[in-house]
Amino acid sequence: MSKNQIPLWEVFIRPRNGLAHKHCGSVHAADEVMALQAARDVYTRRGEGTSIWVVPSSAITASDPENKDENFEPAMSKVYRHPTFYEIPEEVGHM
Amino acid sequence: MYSQGLIGAKTDTNEDEAFLAAFQARIDAEEKIEPNDPMPEGYRKTLVRQIGQHAHSEIVGMLPEGNWITRAPSLRRKAALLAKVQDEGGHGLYLYSAAETLGVSREEMTEELLSGKAKYSSIFNYPTQTWADIGAIGWLVDGAAIMNQIPLCRCSYGPYARAMIRVCKEESFHQRQGYEIMMTLARGTPEQKEMAQDALNRWWWPSLMMFGPHDGDSQHSDQSMKWKIKRFTNDELRQKFVDATVPQGEFIGLTFPDPDLKWNEEKGGYDFGAIDWDEFWRVVKGHGPMNRDRIAARQKAWDDGAWVREAVLAHAEKRNARREAAKMAAE
């Protein structure tokens, strides 16, 4: 067994013009050219996309699930950031 | 294929009560578990085993059907079979990726398949003797796989559930193309109909075995149900498959090779005869008609591909080095 493992790439696909690229899975490939080809074969066999990005998995920095509370909880208590927090008389109409 | 995925899984786990209770509470609340979340070692190991064996089943499953690509009876059938076999390869890759999120490498999984440590579905250890077998596999084997895989779309482990959603969307074409082959043969000449009947006779019982041992004999089923890796028991899924499939076979004038098969009004389902579990375990343990051929074919593919894997890595390394050198020169 070779010690060199073939690198992992994350695959992002734009389903239609006008939409953002969305993560859909991963592939192993030696370089970016082969990663794009593999991503096309594995993830777009039925017209799922019009554009593909591949990114080395090792290049992604992710937030730590252990810090979920300190990262995201503060937003939960700030209800005044949402439009429904403010009461506007009905007579004013849609705002 | 996929209840058999639990064969050899070890659900033992040795975390403390509080940890296990907190984990179970998340499962009971139908929260999805993601790769970096804390999880019991037994949960992780069970999933590595099950997803790995599911992936191996997809890859080994390409072999019996690949056998007929060059001999498909028309261009239409050939194109469909090629697309189906390519899908199975894709399904294997989605599943290997899902297993890799649990900290096992593709190379390790491949080694376990080749050494016989990891299993794959027993069904792929039967030979495809005639063109009708391609119809029977699509109709019965993919039909049974769909029964198993639809509840897996709601599996508690996020990456597995998401892979299953993609697989199920694609699998429906497989079953329909298989049934269409069977229907065409069943409505053809007497010889063609006989060929379809013969394929049903040979594939029916092995298809029922795909759901795995009876609930009472399935060691790891309880814990897997509790962790919501599985949603239905082996026997429940097998019954659903029989109930759905028998009318489809009767519609095209084929008969099932089971004298005990009859509708039971009271339970609202079919009663069926006893499964030959000796045959099942013989095949799982490596003594089916095609076990050796299948592993030999995977071993050959792995060995023959070694120089390609080495070459692409060497090429990537050379390109990177050149790029680095050009950058240095420009600075």
Side-chain angles (χ1 to χ4, degrees), chain B residues 18-313:
Chain B
F19 179 86
L20 291 174
F23 182 74
Q24 191 62 47
R26 290 195 65 194
I27 299 279
D28 293 342
E30 296 288 332
E31 280 183 36
K32 288 275 184 260
I33 308 302
E34 294 298 337
N36 294 325
D37 291 350
M39 64 182 84
E41 189 52 20
Y43 179 82
R44 196 187 71 82
K45 276 194 193 148
T46 301
L47 279 166
V48 166
R49 186 83 179 171
Q50 173 160 345
I51 303 172
Q53 296 191 156
H54 194 162
H56 297 328
S57 300
E58 301 284 354
I59 299 297
V60 176
M62 297 167 81
L63 298 169
E65 292 184 293
N67 183 34
W68 279 90
I69 290 175
T70 56
R71 292 173 289 166
S74 68
L75 187 57
R76 179 179 185 274
R77 296 284 185 218
K78 185 174 186 165
L81 183 57
L82 257 175
K84 179 181 189 295
V85 172
Q86 193 189 8
D87 272 355
E88 307 297 3
H91 296 174
L93 297 185
Y94 308 155
L95 287 159
Y96 282 130
S97 296
E100 283 172 81
T101 64
L102 292 158
V104 59
S105 73
R106 184 82 54 101
E107 285 80 0
E108 284 169 313
M109 286 187 278
T110 305
E111 277 182 344
E112 289 202 343
L113 170 69
L114 297 179
S115 73
K117 193 172 167 226
K119 305 290 179 200
Y120 53 88
S121 183
S122 57
I123 193 82
F124 300 120
N125 291 316
Y126 293 87
T128 40
Q129 297 172 355
T130 72
W131 170 251
D133 289 12
I134 299 305
I137 288 180
W139 173 39
L140 301 173
V141 176
D142 288 271
I146 291 170
M147 279 296 169
N148 258 314
Q149 289 172 163
I150 284 175
L152 287 174
C153 296
R154 295 188 295 124
C155 166
S156 59
Y157 188 58
Y160 193 24
R162 291 191 287 274
M164 278 298 104
I165 292 169
R166 294 185 65 88
V167 169
C168 284
K169 272 191 200 159
E170 298 178 353
E171 203 91 51
S172 161
F173 130 65
H174 299 178
Q175 191 185 15
R176 291 170 66 110
Q177 69 92 33
Y179 188 68
E180 196 195 75
I181 291 172
M182 290 300 265
M183 188 165 64
T184 307
L185 290 171
R187 290 175 176 172
T189 63
E191 289 81 6
Q192 286 169 329
K193 183 169 182 183
E194 179 47 41
M195 197 194 267
Q197 182 62 55
D198 167 63
L200 173 57
N201 293 348
R202 283 181 290 109
W203 290 92
W204 177 245
W205 290 108
S207 298
L208 295 189
M209 293 175 197
M210 285 175 66
F211 295 91
H214 280 312
D215 297 343
D217 307 322
S218 177
Q219 288 170 291
H220 307 291
S221 243
D222 287 350
Q223 186 58 67
S224 286
M225 295 278 284
K226 211 174 141 215
W227 279 333
K228 300 193 178 173
I229 294 172
K230 281 179 75 171
R231 297 271 176 171
F232 294 97
T233 68
N234 297 354
D235 285 330
E236 283 169 341
L237 290 168
R238 186 164 19 239
Q239 183 69 50
K240 276 185 187 215
F241 173 71
V242 172
D243 293 345
T245 308
V246 170
Q248 295 165 357
E250 287 172 347
F251 179 78
I252 53 177
L254 298 179
T255 53
F256 290 82
D258 177 0
D260 298 323
L261 183 74
K262 64 169 187 298
W263 179 252
N264 180 332
E265 192 62 51
E266 207 174 304
K267 79 169 181 186
Y270 286 89
D271 289 332
F272 51 94
I275 291 169
D276 181 353
W277 293 111
D278 290 342
E279 174 180 329
F280 172 73
W281 287 113
R282 218 165 37 238
V283 176
V284 167
K285 291 187 174 143
H287 307 293
M290 299 299 282
N291 295 58
R292 280 196 211 179
D293 282 59
R294 300 300 183 228
I295 292 299
R298 291 311 309 154
Q299 183 73 55
K300 183 174 188 300
W302 181 250
D303 294 344
D304 290 354
W307 72 269
V308 179
R309 292 191 298 276
E310 281 161 26
V312 292
L313 282 171

Side-chain angles (χ1 to χ4, degrees), chain A residues 8-11 23-28 42-43 57, chain B residues 93 97 106:
Chain A
L8 190 64
W9 302 73
E10 298 303 318
V11 180
H23 183 246
C24 71
S26 52
V27 292
H28 284 277
V42 177
Y43 292 105
S57 303
Chain B
L93 297 185
S97 296
R106 184 82 54 101

